[in-house]
Amino acid sequence: MKISTKGRYGLRILLDLALHENGSPRLIRDIAESQSISEKYISRLIIDLRKAGMVKSIRGAKGGYKLARIPKYLTLLDVVEVMEGPISVVDCVGSPFSCERKELCAAREIWMRLNAEIRESLAKVTLQDLVDQARRNVADFMDYCI
């Protein structure tokens, strides 16, 4: 399993919105500039995030995008599965009937355990954890510069 740019950039969009939560709604142009992602790509990704109820759009002259959920209740697992689909290290974990063999292979149990551990690990990390880490990184950098 490899997380694509869709999953990574979806998370970066949410992190950008969370870091700017106290201000006015963020424009796609501002997110694109701060994250070095094209506006066109962000426009496509934000549709999935909005459909999943992770972001909301604000219309009008002072409109843009804001988080629709509190960062401490939004996990990495939520983001990855919205952007990438269900976690599945091998096809037979998500669909046992996709297995090439009619009987279940001995390795399936190991794949299922690994899949469960990956899901648990992703579910333990919240968007708030990443916000806190990003703020610590900035503070550490500022201390270093002074």
Side-chain angles (χ1 to χ4, degrees):
M1 182 192 105
K2 184 175 180 180
I3 297 173
S4 71
T5 56
K6 187 175 178 181
R8 295 191 321 269
Y9 288 2
L11 180 61
R12 284 173 50 189
I13 292 166
L14 292 171
L15 183 56
D16 185 273
L17 293 174
L19 287 168
H20 295 91
E21 189 64 10
N22 294 333
S24 57
R26 295 279 285 166
L27 298 172
I28 287 177
R29 171 183 57 234
D30 297 332
I31 298 168
E33 185 177 314
S34 71
Q35 296 301 313
S36 300
I37 305 170
S38 80
E39 289 183 44
K40 187 175 181 179
Y41 197 33
I42 289 176
S43 296
R44 289 198 320 245
L45 297 179
I46 215 152
I47 292 169
D48 292 334
L49 295 170
R50 199 178 76 227
K51 284 180 184 175
M54 294 181 177
V55 299
K56 59 184 174 186
S57 60
I58 312 294
R59 298 194 183 277
K62 298 193 185 234
Y65 291 91
K66 289 184 100 37
L67 287 177
R69 292 169 54 187
I70 299 169
K72 73 178 183 177
Y73 298 119
L74 192 57
T75 69
L76 222 50
L77 178 62
D78 297 330
V79 178
V80 170
E81 289 198 326
V82 162
M83 302 310 289
E84 304 283 347
I87 303 285
S88 185
V89 294
V90 293
D91 289 339
C92 70
V93 169
S95 175
F97 301 109
S98 68
C99 191
E100 297 162 0
R101 298 175 56 189
K102 295 297 177 205
E103 69 280 354
L104 294 178
C105 69
R108 185 168 187 271
E109 187 175 319
I110 293 167
W111 297 134
M112 289 178 61
R113 248 191 329 226
L114 176 61
N115 206 74
E117 288 175 16
I118 291 169
R119 290 178 55 80
E120 286 173 29
S121 293
L122 291 172
K124 287 179 185 175
V125 180
T126 67
L127 184 59
Q128 186 62 55
D129 295 331
L130 297 177
V131 167
D132 295 343
Q133 182 62 51
R135 289 185 175 143
R136 277 193 301 274
N137 290 350
V138 168
D140 290 346
F141 179 74
M142 295 306 284
D143 287 344
Y144 177 78
C145 291
I146 293 175

